[in-house]
Amino acid sequence: MSGDDARSVREIEEGVQRDFSAAMSYGDYLGLEQLLSAQHPRSEPAQHDELLFIIQHQTSELWLKLMLHELRSARALLTTDELAPALKRLARVKRIQEVLTDQWSVLATLTPSEYAEIRPFLATSSGFQSWQYRAVEFLLGNKNADMVKVFDHDEEARTLLAGLLVEPSLYDEFLRYLARRGYAVPAELLDRDFTQPYRENDELVDTFASVYAQPSEHWGVYETCEELVDLEDNFQQWRFRHLQVVTRTIGHKKGTGGSSGVDFLRRALDLTFFPELYSVRARV
């Protein structure tokens, strides 16, 4: 073998594990046999692009699972006044959001003609029915009891959403944290009906205005406010990218789940999780 040929071959090092008959492998740890066999295209005859559609949504659900894990942890940390690790969790959530938003560019390679070949096989299934997405929205404060009823057919999902519906959101716990630290948080925000969507409070805008007037004096709170704005900004970018992909793929057709499609998605752009953190900008 020539010198050039030798350099082109990377020999397996002597100590590298090779026998997995009695040892755990990479595939064992990750459950790859189950994971990689979870794609079940339904098109007849088989359509090449259906695998893309399935994997796109399955991977999104995996990232949503991690996002829920991180958001629930951040919320729990706020209850015990552990702000720094809570912010670390939110930093990770933001990176997850970036991945989810970037993923739309893969689905955008599906042309209207290609999607039309697989759409009939989706039947009434729709991303609207993602209970993990609803759980993320509930954790961030966009509560809607009617959404829980959509999952009457899935006891586990319904129970989880029903629990999140009555629990404080991440923002609710942040406001409780502020109150414990001596910030002026209106009492009605601390003891409200958590099943209802959060509504803006003018007095709280005043409190945040004092924080933004002297960031160095309130750095931890100031940083948290900006992290939350980042999180919402990322969420809106995800929503908008979703809207764009649906528009280029099906135009103004109805969604498979029965929604108005593009118009329904566009209305979601008007929703906000942390209204005071946007209103305060007019005061700076």
Side-chain angles (χ1 to χ4, degrees):
M1 180 182 291
S2 70
D4 288 342
D5 290 337
R7 284 194 297 272
S8 67
V9 177
R10 186 176 68 166
E11 299 292 341
I12 299 177
E13 294 177 353
E14 195 63 34
V16 172
Q17 180 78 29
R18 304 173 192 230
D19 181 4
F20 297 97
S21 57
M24 182 171 64
S25 71
Y26 171 82
D28 294 333
Y29 178 73
L30 295 178
L32 288 183
E33 182 178 355
Q34 179 181 11
L35 182 65
L36 298 179
S37 62
Q39 295 74 47
H40 305 290
R42 297 172 182 266
S43 55
E44 289 288 347
Q47 297 298 318
H48 173 83
D49 297 297
E50 189 174 7
L51 187 62
L52 158 63
F53 193 84
I54 292 172
I55 289 178
Q56 169 89 25
H57 290 84
Q58 286 183 339
T59 52
S60 293
E61 290 294 333
L62 286 172
W63 285 120
L64 286 170
K65 181 175 183 176
L66 182 57
M67 191 186 298
L68 284 171
H69 177 67
E70 301 295 343
L71 286 173
R72 295 180 91 166
S73 177
R75 185 180 63 171
L77 288 164
L78 285 175
T79 66
T80 53
D81 295 341
E82 297 176 83
L83 186 62
L87 292 178
K88 178 64 168 64
R89 302 292 191 270
L90 295 186
R92 183 173 293 165
V93 169
K94 292 195 303 182
R95 298 298 174 260
I96 296 169
Q97 289 179 303
E98 290 171 4
V99 172
L100 282 167
T101 299
D102 286 344
Q103 278 192 192
W104 287 120
S105 64
V106 182
L107 194 63
T109 65
L110 191 66
T111 68
S113 300
E114 291 165 345
Y115 180 59
E117 296 295 331
I118 64 175
R119 194 173 197 251
F121 301 98
L122 302 181
T124 56
S125 64
S126 165
F128 174 83
Q129 299 146 16
S130 168
W131 64 264
Q132 290 198 118
Y133 174 81
R134 295 303 162 196
V136 168
E137 285 214 324
F138 279 19
L139 272 167
L140 294 178
N142 184 24
K143 305 287 188 73
N144 185 338
D146 287 339
M147 289 295 182
V148 178
K149 300 173 185 176
V150 174
F151 301 94
D152 283 345
H153 67 286
D154 185 336
E155 183 177 354
E156 184 176 352
R158 190 188 191 288
T159 299
L160 183 142
L161 288 172
L164 290 175
L165 183 69
V166 300
E167 294 170 7
S169 69
L170 177 72
Y171 194 49
D172 289 318
E173 289 297 357
F174 177 50
L175 298 186
R176 288 177 165 187
Y177 167 85
L178 292 178
R180 290 193 299 273
R181 306 289 288 188
Y183 288 87
V185 179
E188 62 267 27
L189 297 182
L190 302 174
D191 185 26
R192 68 183 191 87
D193 182 356
F194 295 119
T195 67
Q196 299 301 308
Y198 183 84
R199 303 298 181 195
E200 183 172 351
N201 184 286
D202 289 339
E203 292 180 48
L204 186 60
V205 178
D206 294 336
T207 298
F208 284 131
S210 65
V211 170
Y212 276 78
Q214 294 182 301
S216 61
E217 300 296 318
H218 310 273
W219 189 260
V221 172
Y222 175 73
E223 182 184 10
T224 306
C225 290
E226 286 300 288
E227 287 290 310
L228 291 173
V229 171
D230 285 346
L231 193 152
E232 175 151 343
D233 187 36
N234 285 348
F235 208 98
Q236 290 289 55
Q237 289 185 52
W238 183 92
R239 284 172 170 160
F240 182 67
R241 193 73 184 99
H242 185 192
L243 172 65
Q244 285 182 307
V245 172
V246 172
T247 301
R248 69 179 288 163
T249 306
I250 67 168
H252 288 272
K253 290 180 182 177
K254 280 191 173 184
T256 51
S259 75
S260 57
V262 167
D263 291 338
F264 178 78
L265 296 175
R266 184 174 288 113
R267 288 196 295 274
L269 295 175
D270 294 329
L271 300 174
T272 182
F273 300 120
F274 320 122
E276 292 89 357
L277 298 183
Y278 285 88
S279 293
V280 74
R281 279 150 167 74
R283 307 277 194 90
V284 177

